[in-house]
Amino acid sequence: MADLTPNYPPAVASAVIAVMRSLGTLAKGNENKFDKYDYASIDDFIHFVRGHCIAAGLFIEPNEAAEAKLVDVAKKDGKPMAMWWSRFAFYLVHESGERAGPIFKTVMVQANGAQAAGSAQSYAMKQFMRGQFMIPTGDADDPDKISVDISAQGQSETDLQRQAGRIRRSILTAQDLNELGLAWSDNSVNIDHIRRVSDTAYDFLVSEYEKRKTVLEADA
């Protein structure tokens, strides 16, 4: 859901119209071989829009609007699945210095490891550009559709999500390898529970741990 700021300075509004006027239709040239649909990737969108934004003296400034978190949901078959929830704030900035925003985009993608954060940012940026500049993408299915049916039950924050979020924060705030080890060992009971309930959430925490360990080892 997007919360649009209605106040567009004249230079920004004029530049947005200029971009919209110059754009055509973006073809979906990539095939998702698993779900059998065509989609336009984030690189497709950037290549399609960037030159027109430059000509109009406009650029997009992306920011995180809230701390990302794991959300535990239930699929239609009753099996648990961890999702990565993110909220982004975009600004439209004109070369004159005038700017409009923040314009918010909230997305939730499957928490499938370290790439979940990048997937969420790419999806939010793509949908922002698509909506802001009203970019048609053809008659095929919507890009990045999610083929997994999610039950309405379990959409709210759960104990599993809160546990995973606290553990992730303790991992990310560890200042040395000793603190990192304690962040994992002190939460071993909860981590084991997460592993038994959601492989996806557990794999995500392991990935966050390994990334933080690599950083701390490099700083040691």
Short mmCIF file of all heavy atoms in Angstrom, two decimals, residues 16 19 200 218:
data_model
loop_
_atom_site.label_atom_id
_atom_site.label_comp_id
_atom_site.label_asym_id
_atom_site.label_seq_id
_atom_site.Cartn_x
_atom_site.Cartn_y
_atom_site.Cartn_z
N VAL A 16 8.14 14.83 -13.68
CA VAL A 16 7.41 13.56 -13.71
C VAL A 16 6.56 13.47 -14.97
O VAL A 16 6.53 12.43 -15.65
CB VAL A 16 6.52 13.42 -12.45
CG1 VAL A 16 5.57 12.23 -12.60
CG2 VAL A 16 7.39 13.23 -11.22
N VAL A 19 8.77 12.70 -17.94
CA VAL A 19 9.15 11.29 -18.00
C VAL A 19 7.99 10.45 -18.52
O VAL A 19 8.15 9.60 -19.39
CB VAL A 19 9.59 10.78 -16.61
CG1 VAL A 19 9.81 9.27 -16.65
CG2 VAL A 19 10.87 11.49 -16.18
N THR A 200 12.78 -22.00 6.77
CA THR A 200 13.12 -20.74 6.09
C THR A 200 13.62 -19.71 7.08
O THR A 200 14.63 -19.04 6.84
CB THR A 200 11.89 -20.20 5.34
OG1 THR A 200 11.43 -21.18 4.42
CG2 THR A 200 12.26 -18.93 4.57
N ALA A 218 36.83 -9.90 9.59
CA ALA A 218 37.60 -8.98 8.77
C ALA A 218 38.09 -7.79 9.59
O ALA A 218 39.18 -7.23 9.34
CB ALA A 218 36.75 -8.48 7.60
#
